[in-house]
């Protein structure tokens, strides 16, 4: 066996071109697992002196919810919960990320697609997400699984 490759060859292309560590993207949704993932990403960004991009993806109410919910109370409740989570994330973002090059991106859509888009835009070196806590994701596929299958970035799933 030959000599191992130098560590420089394992750095993401964006980091080599810019002469700095590549961005770390973390998905947050207010769940315990996503908050643990965010804490892990903050520590990693501090240690590597890398930019941190937190991504909150607001869901789009499905057509089925609209059909079942004639008065729209269910959709209003979903939007209210998302507004509350967004406000909590903004407060936590302002307090906890002192001294880190960080930004919070809020978008609507399908979580794995939005995380992939953002990771591509910022030329991420890693994507960090919390483990899915939903039983339904075992049947339909979880966000971490979809990101791993995408295979563009190293994906860390925090339990």
């Amino acid at each position: 066996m030959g000599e191992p490759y130098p560590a420089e060859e394992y750095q993401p292309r964006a980091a080599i071109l810019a002469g700095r560590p590549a961005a770390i993207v973390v998905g947050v949704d207010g769940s315990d697992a996503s908050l643990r993932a965010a804490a892990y990403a903050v520590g990693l960004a501090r240690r590597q002196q890398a930019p941190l991009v937190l991504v909150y993806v607001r869901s789009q109410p499905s057509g089925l919810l609209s059909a079942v919910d004639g008065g729209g109370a269910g959709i209003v409740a979903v939007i209210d919960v998302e507004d509350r989570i967004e406000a909590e994330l903004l407060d936590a973002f302002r307090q906890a990320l002192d001294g880190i090059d960080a930004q919070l991106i809020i978008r609507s859509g399908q979580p794995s697609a939005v995380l992939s888009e953002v990771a591509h835009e910022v030329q991420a070196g890693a994507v960090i997400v919390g483990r899915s806590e939903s039983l339904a994701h075992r049947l339909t596929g979880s966000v971490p699984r979809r990101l791993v299958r995408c295979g563009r970035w190293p994906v860390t799933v925090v339990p």
Side-chain angles (χ1 to χ4, degrees), residues 71-102:
I75 293 173
V76 170
V78 168
I79 292 171
D80 287 345
V81 168
E82 288 180 339
D83 287 344
R84 182 182 49 79
I85 291 171
E86 185 177 324
E88 289 173 4
L89 289 173
L90 286 169
D91 287 342
F93 179 77
R94 288 184 190 110
Q95 294 172 5
L97 301 178
D98 190 35
I100 295 178
D101 177 14

Side-chain angles (χ1 to χ4, degrees), residues 86-147:
E86 185 177 324
E88 289 173 4
L89 289 173
L90 286 169
D91 287 342
F93 179 77
R94 288 184 190 110
Q95 294 172 5
L97 301 178
D98 190 35
I100 295 178
D101 177 14
Q103 63 179 321
L104 175 64
I105 295 175
I106 300 170
R107 294 193 182 163
S108 295
Q110 202 279 329
S112 59
V114 171
L115 284 169
S116 292
E117 284 174 11
V118 171
H120 179 72
E121 289 169 11
V122 301
Q123 298 180 336
V127 177
I128 300 171
V129 291
R131 188 188 82 199
S132 176
E133 297 174 348
S134 170
L135 182 61
H137 286 162
R138 291 185 181 160
L139 301 173
T140 62
S142 64
V143 171
R145 183 176 292 161
R146 289 180 184 150
L147 289 169

Side-chain angles (χ1 to χ4, degrees), residues 8-79:
E8 295 82 32
E9 291 191 28
Y10 291 106
Q11 291 182 358
R13 182 167 171 73
I16 292 171
L17 294 176
R20 63 175 174 77
I24 298 169
V25 173
V26 60
V28 291
D29 63 4
S31 68
D32 289 340
S34 78
L35 296 177
R36 286 190 297 270
Y40 176 83
V42 167
L44 188 61
R46 273 203 178 101
R47 287 188 298 277
Q48 294 183 356
Q49 298 178 351
L52 178 65
V53 179
L54 290 97
V55 181
Y56 174 57
V57 182
R58 295 179 69 114
S59 64
Q60 298 170 332
S62 69
L64 181 60
L65 180 60
S66 300
V68 174
D69 183 26
I75 293 173
V76 170
V78 168
I79 292 171

